[in-house]
């Protein structure tokens, strides 16, 4: 197997240790950092996402793949920064105010990172002001909100309203997701996109960057 | 011979038409009778007395009952089948409280009492003679609020819009008033002349608030702490219930967070709060509720297990009623299913789901990540099959309980092997197979530690009714010894939760 194939397999297998070792070896052997990302890591996370979508993977497997991907990315990111490679876009991700569930949000973060986005993770119980602040100060183009409770998904509505009040609504694409959220709810509150799954969020983010969402 | 036989139940005088040969357990379970050992002929909790018709003496009857008792017509309901018309008397309701080893501070007084277990999904209510402690009538019903949301959070969501809260309060007060009237009518005869002296209701914190028309807003968002979760006391008249005698109606106080008086009552019923050794009480409902501790101090928590244990969100899931696969066993490398009511299978209830997944793991048809080894479904008994998504639902449910229990034990300061007893509350607890629960990693404890304890909420409510009538019911001392742990705020909860989603490797 080539180093890129080894990285691909380690990420799918959720083997963080191997992912880190093969990445370090590959970089030492002169494999371009961008190739490791574009041909190893990203296809691997796409494949993990596909397996998750068809129920072959469950939450633990997808999280393990994400962990393996991140351990490789830690080595690659500084090199990418030196070469001036641009991320696919910068996304602020958070679980909305009143809600502490972070598994879904972490999956979305991992899938976005795996797809080459730079993720600003705002954590859980995130107030509208915090999302707005990220857009103001961190050059964030996309905001992705998660909620797991029917009672807390209303915070998505208030956050979007807060963006309007702040006069920033046009400068950001807002994506929503989480167990109780539906396309209808997303339309009703004026979100730009909704996905029922973490891998689906990547497609939305890509569309948002190309201005089609 | 016709296919149906009649089973008449005393003392309520209710007559049921059932399929000939149907296990009595299936008939009686639907009537609120409990099977403390899970219906395996190991205890005497479900014994009935034959008044007319015939029931052969089984080996379990002979082992657990004296020759005089069997001659007198006593049988274990869990071992009997309705092969012909029968009239039976239910011992459990004659002395429901006085389980063989329960020491009870029973203070006889005049009048009737009503105990209500108000669940998010189901209600169970019993009418008691406060002079004797005997159960005179039993009623169960589905919570009428359910049309406004099946789970607690959607119910709270409904309560927070417009007149939702008032509507939910009205619906549940009406329903309990109706149940109370029906119980008194069921009892008939002399009992009907007696006034109702006392009503005790238990339920989780959301039910507590919605009964009292309290603001559920604080329960809807972090930190999920109720503002007022103490004892509620009303007069029947104030509630608009015209019950003879205008009894007081009490909704017992909550333990903390979403953990309500159903668990407080569970402590009284299991006497966990008097235990020297660490013990646990686990209620496997949609909202899994857990207490860990001993007489000194206790911790409680609730964990969103989802409705898989009640058969919901499972493709062929159903409640534990006729037609549900309730047990799956592996024999000679093949799965064998038991169907409630001895009819063609229609679906899978919670205990059947746990068994089916345990069997799938043992047969290598499901791997430790929860994935089916081939195809998207595991056939159980046509047309019932277990789908991949069903296994995922169970993984979420069992991980929520296992993670909650693990964290409470750690915070309390006990290792899992130091737990002396684990009381499993609720009807599902009576039916679940302990080996299967261990196999899937839901309750990783030895069989002897896990004690199916029946409806401990209703039992505890009855203990309060039968106790000293001047006890104010605030339970201040007991409540001060229980601390609520918010699992969501424990940084490790989500990691442990994900960790517990996997199934344990087979033990050699």
């Amino acid at each position: 197997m080539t180093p890129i194939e080894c990285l691909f397999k380690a990420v799918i297998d959720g083997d963080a240790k191997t992912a880190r070792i093969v990445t370090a070896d590959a970089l030492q052997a002169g494999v371009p950092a961008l190739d490791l990302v574009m041909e190893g890591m990203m296809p691997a996370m796409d494949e993990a996402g596909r397996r998750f979508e068809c129920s072959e993977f469950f939450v633990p497997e997808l999280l393990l793949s994400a962990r393996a991907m991140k351990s490789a990315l830690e080595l690659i990111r500084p090199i990418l920064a030196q070469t001036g490679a641009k991320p696919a876009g910068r996304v602020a991700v958070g679980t909305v105010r009143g809600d502490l569930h972070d598994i879904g949000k972490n999956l979305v973060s991992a899938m976005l990172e795996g797809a080459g986005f730079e993720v600003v993770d705002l954590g859980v119980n995130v107030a509208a002001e915090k999302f707005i602040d990220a857009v103001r100060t961190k050059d964030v183009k996309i905001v992705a909100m998660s909620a797991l409770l029917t009672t807390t998904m209303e915070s998505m509505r208030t956050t979007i309203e807060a963006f309007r009040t702040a006069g920033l609504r046009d400068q950001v694409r807002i994506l929503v997701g989480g167990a109780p959220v539906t396309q209808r709810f997303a339309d009703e509150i004026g979100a730009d996109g909704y996905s029922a799954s973490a891998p689906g969020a990547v497609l939305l983010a890509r569309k948002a960057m190309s201005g089609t969402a | 011979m016709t296919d149906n036989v009649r089973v008449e139940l005393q003392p309520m005088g209710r007559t049921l038409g059932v399929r000939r040969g149907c296990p009595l357990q299936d008939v009686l379970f639907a009537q609120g009778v409990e099977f403390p050992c899970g219906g395996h002929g190991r205890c005497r909790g479900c014994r009935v007395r034959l008044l007319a018709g015939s029931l052969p003496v089984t080996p379990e009857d002979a082992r657990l009952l004296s020759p005089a008792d069997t001659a007198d017509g006593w049988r274990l309901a869990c071992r009997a089948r309705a092969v012909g018309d029968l009239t039976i008397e239910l011992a459990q309701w004659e002395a429901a409280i006085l389980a063989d080893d329960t020491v009870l501070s029973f203070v006889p007084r005049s009048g009737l009492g009503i105990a209500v277990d108000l669940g998010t999904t189901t209600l169970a209510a019993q009418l008691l003679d406060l002079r004797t402690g005997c159960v005179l009538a039993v009623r169960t019903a589905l919570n009428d609020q359910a049309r406004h949301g099946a789970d607690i959070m959607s119910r709270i969501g409904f309560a927070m819009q417009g007149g939702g809260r008032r509507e939910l309060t009205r619906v549940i007060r009406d329903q309990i008033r109706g149940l109370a009237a029906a119980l008194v009518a069921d009892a008939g005869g002399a009992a009907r002349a007696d006034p109702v002296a006392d009503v005790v209701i238990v339920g989780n914190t959301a039910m507590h608030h919605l009964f009292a028309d309290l603001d559920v807003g604080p329960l809807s968002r972090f930190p999920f702490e109720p503002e007022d979760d103490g004892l509620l006391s009303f007069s029947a008249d104030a509630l608009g219930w015209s019950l003879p005698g205008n009894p007081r109606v009490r909704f017992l106080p909550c333990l903390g967070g979403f953990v309500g008086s159903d668990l407080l009552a569970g402590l009284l019923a299991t006497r966990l709060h008097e235990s020297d050794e660490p013990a646990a009480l686990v209620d496997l409902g949609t909202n899994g509720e857990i207490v860990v501790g001993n007489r000194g101090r206790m911790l409680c928590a609730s964990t969103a297990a989802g409705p898989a244990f009640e058969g919901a969100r499972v493709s062929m899931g159903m409640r534990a009623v006729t037609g549900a696969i309730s047990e799956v066993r592996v024999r000679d490398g093949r799965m064998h299913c038991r169907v409630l009511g001895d009819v063609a299978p229609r679906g899978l209830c919670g205990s059947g789901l746990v068994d089916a997944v345990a069997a799938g793991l043992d047969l290598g048809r499901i791997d430790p990540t929860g994935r089916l080894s081939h195809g998207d479904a595991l056939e159980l008994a046509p047309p019932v099959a277990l789908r991949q998504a069903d296994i995922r639902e169970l993984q979420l449910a069992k991980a929520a309980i296992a993670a909650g229990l693990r964290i409470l034990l750690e915070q309390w300061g006990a290792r899992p092997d130091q737990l002396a007893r684990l009381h499993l509350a609720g009807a599902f607890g009576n039916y679940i197979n302990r080996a299967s629960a261990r196999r899937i990693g839901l309750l990783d404890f030895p069989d002897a530690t896990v004690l199916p304890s029946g409806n401990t909420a209703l039992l505890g409510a009855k203990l309060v009714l039968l106790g000293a009538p001047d006890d104010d019911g605030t339970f201040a001392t007991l409540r001060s010894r229980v601390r609520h742990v918010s699992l969501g705020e424990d940084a490790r909860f989500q990691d442990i939760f994900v960790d517990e989603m996997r199934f344990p490797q087979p033990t050699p």
Side-chain angles (χ1 to χ4, degrees):
Chain A
M1 279 200 289
T2 67
I4 284 175
E5 284 164 351
C6 288
L7 177 58
F8 179 88
K9 185 174 181 305
V11 171
I12 296 276
D13 291 346
D15 184 346
K17 208 169 134 195
T18 304
R20 207 178 161 87
I21 292 169
V22 297
T23 302
D25 289 352
L27 290 171
Q28 194 120 50
V31 180
L34 200 61
D35 288 2
L36 286 171
V37 175
M38 302 299 284
E39 289 161 38
M41 228 160 62
M42 277 170 57
M45 283 310 284
D46 273 350
E47 173 61 13
R50 189 194 65 76
R51 292 188 188 185
F52 182 74
E53 296 269 39
C54 70
S55 225
E56 216 176 297
F57 269 19
F58 198 37
V59 179
E61 290 73 56
L62 194 53
L63 283 174
L64 283 176
S65 286
R67 202 179 297 168
M69 182 266 303
K70 281 186 176 172
S71 70
L73 195 60
E74 276 171 18
L75 299 177
I76 296 173
R77 202 177 261 148
I79 296 167
L80 284 181
Q82 278 173 20
T83 59
K86 286 250 183 311
R90 192 175 285 170
V91 190
V93 179
T95 303
V96 295
R97 176 174 223 153
D99 203 320
L100 300 177
H101 295 89
D102 71 354
I103 292 173
K105 180 218 42 156
N106 291 347
L107 286 177
V108 169
S109 297
M111 291 305 298
L112 287 171
E113 281 192 325
F117 285 87
E118 192 178 329
V119 171
V120 180
D121 190 336
L122 300 176
V124 297
N125 193 22
V126 179
E129 305 78 59
K130 215 167 153 190
F131 281 112
I132 289 173
D133 189 53
V135 171
R136 278 217 175 102
T137 63
K138 300 208 170 100
D139 191 30
V140 162
K141 295 284 184 260
I142 302 175
V143 164
M145 295 190 277
S146 164
L148 202 83
L149 302 173
T150 45
T151 50
T152 53
M153 65 185 204
E154 285 299 319
S155 296
M156 292 178 165
R157 190 195 304 272
T158 50
T159 303
I160 290 178
E161 275 161 16
F163 269 106
R164 276 197 203 103
T165 313
L168 290 171
R169 182 65 190 88
D170 299 339
Q171 296 174 35
V172 67
R173 295 280 164 173
I174 299 181
L175 312 179
V176 294
V181 182
T182 59
Q183 181 67 54
R184 200 172 135 194
F185 179 77
D187 294 342
E188 186 192 314
I189 62 172
D192 296 308
Y194 157 77
S195 167
S197 71
V202 173
L203 296 178
L204 285 180
R206 283 187 182 138
K207 274 205 237 165
M209 288 315 288
S210 65
T212 52
Chain B
M1 286 211 306
T2 60
D3 262 333
N4 285 315
V5 298
R6 281 158 25 94
V7 177
E8 189 182 328
L9 305 179
Q10 295 291 357
M12 321 91 83
R14 196 173 296 165
T15 303
L16 308 163
V18 304
R19 216 180 128 86
R20 186 183 301 277
C22 178
L24 274 190
Q25 181 175 0
D26 300 350
V27 181
L28 299 182
F29 177 71
Q31 299 297 315
V33 173
E34 296 184 346
F35 294 83
C37 75
H40 295 289
R42 286 195 296 255
C43 75
R44 307 188 303 146
C46 66
R47 65 192 184 278
V48 297
R49 193 168 154 225
L50 186 68
L51 301 177
S54 91
L55 288 175
V57 176
T58 64
E60 291 85 358
D61 291 335
R63 197 172 64 238
L64 289 163
L65 303 168
S66 71
D69 282 347
T70 51
D72 221 15
W74 290 103
R75 304 284 186 272
L76 301 181
C78 68
R79 299 286 98 189
R81 283 172 184 273
V83 288
D85 290 349
L86 293 174
T87 303
I88 52 179
E89 186 180 45
L90 303 168
Q92 204 170 78
W93 295 350
E94 277 303 294
I97 307 290
L98 308 165
D100 298 335
D101 51 355
T102 308
V103 184
L104 171 69
S105 59
F106 175 34
V107 183
R109 54 179 164 140
S110 63
L112 305 175
I114 294 175
V116 182
D117 167 28
L118 170 52
T120 313
T121 312
T122 53
L123 279 85
Q126 295 191 347
L127 180 74
L128 285 92
D129 184 336
L130 296 180
R131 232 181 324 258
T132 61
C134 287
V135 177
L136 302 174
V138 179
R139 286 260 169 172
T140 57
L142 294 176
N143 187 326
D144 278 345
Q145 292 176 332
R147 79 180 93 113
H148 300 303
D151 60 282
I152 296 184
M153 285 325 266
S154 47
R155 207 87 51 94
I156 290 174
F158 179 82
M160 289 168 66
Q161 326 160 357
R165 188 176 102 198
R166 191 142 299 165
E167 166 68 5
L168 290 176
T169 299
R170 187 190 62 75
V171 163
I172 199 60
R173 286 186 181 180
D174 275 0
Q175 190 175 18
I176 296 177
R177 176 182 52 78
L179 277 178
L183 285 169
V184 173
D186 285 350
R192 214 178 297 185
D194 252 357
V196 176
D198 216 346
V199 179
V200 169
I201 308 173
V202 297
N204 65 46
T205 307
M207 292 300 110
H208 169 277
H209 279 42
L210 291 174
F211 184 82
D213 196 21
L214 292 172
D215 179 14
V216 288
L219 294 177
S220 73
R221 56 189 173 255
F222 173 76
F224 306 98
E225 289 294 345
E227 278 168 12
D228 175 11
D229 60 359
L231 173 75
L232 304 168
S233 198
F234 308 87
S235 74
D237 285 353
L239 292 170
W241 300 357
S242 53
L243 280 174
N246 184 26
R248 77 175 155 172
V249 178
R250 287 177 294 170
F251 202 118
L252 298 187
C254 307
L255 288 181
F258 277 95
V259 186
S261 48
D262 47 349
L263 270 274
L264 172 94
L267 294 180
L268 302 176
T270 58
R271 307 174 73 192
L272 188 150
H273 64 306
E274 294 171 7
S275 170
D276 289 325
E277 301 155 306
L281 171 62
V282 178
D283 188 342
L284 292 173
T286 307
N287 214 42
E289 293 176 333
I290 307 169
V291 183
V292 166
N294 66 359
R295 65 193 317 154
R297 62 197 166 84
M298 288 158 275
L299 298 177
C300 72
S302 64
T303 170
F309 294 131
E310 284 158 18
R313 266 205 327 238
V314 172
S315 58
M316 297 199 70
M318 60 186 288
R319 298 165 58 77
V321 295
T322 303
I325 294 178
S326 64
E327 270 181 53
V328 181
R329 293 272 168 280
V330 176
R331 259 198 321 271
D332 308 324
R334 290 187 50 220
M335 288 193 279
H336 297 264
C337 300
R338 182 174 121 71
V339 182
L340 289 176
D342 232 2
V343 296
R346 289 195 293 129
L348 190 62
C349 68
S351 60
L353 175 66
V354 172
D355 271 0
V357 171
L361 289 166
D362 280 343
L363 292 172
R365 296 290 312 275
I366 300 172
D367 77 16
T369 72
R371 193 184 158 205
L372 281 168
S373 57
H374 37 269
D376 183 45
L378 178 59
E379 194 162 273
L380 299 173
V384 182
L386 184 69
R387 304 209 154 268
Q388 181 68 66
D390 302 339
I391 302 171
R392 301 309 192 194
E393 278 299 326
L394 182 67
Q395 284 180 274
L396 292 174
K398 74 108 180 172
I401 300 287
L405 198 49
R406 204 163 118 188
I407 288 185
L408 280 198
L409 276 168
E410 270 181 39
Q411 290 206 3
W412 193 85
R415 290 190 317 269
D417 63 358
Q418 290 174 316
L419 201 66
R421 294 182 313 284
L422 188 150
H423 297 279
L424 211 47
F428 176 62
N430 275 344
Y431 270 95
I432 192 170
N433 179 286
R434 286 171 282 193
S436 297
R438 192 169 53 244
R439 180 66 187 88
I440 70 163
L442 168 62
L443 297 169
D444 192 11
F445 299 95
D447 275 2
T449 307
V450 180
L451 306 173
S453 305
N455 187 342
T456 55
L458 191 62
L459 188 54
K462 289 193 284 186
L463 291 174
V464 173
L465 271 179
L466 296 178
D470 53 348
D471 181 351
D472 64 358
T474 55
F475 292 97
T477 322
L478 172 54
R479 289 176 75 208
S480 72
R481 283 186 279 151
V482 184
R483 187 168 64 82
H484 175 244
V485 174
S486 175
L487 293 176
E489 285 175 72
D490 190 311
R492 297 165 318 137
F493 177 71
Q494 312 238 4
D495 284 342
I496 294 177
F497 177 51
V498 170
D499 195 35
E500 293 285 354
M501 283 183 203
R502 299 235 172 165
F503 293 117
Q505 297 288 344
T507 40

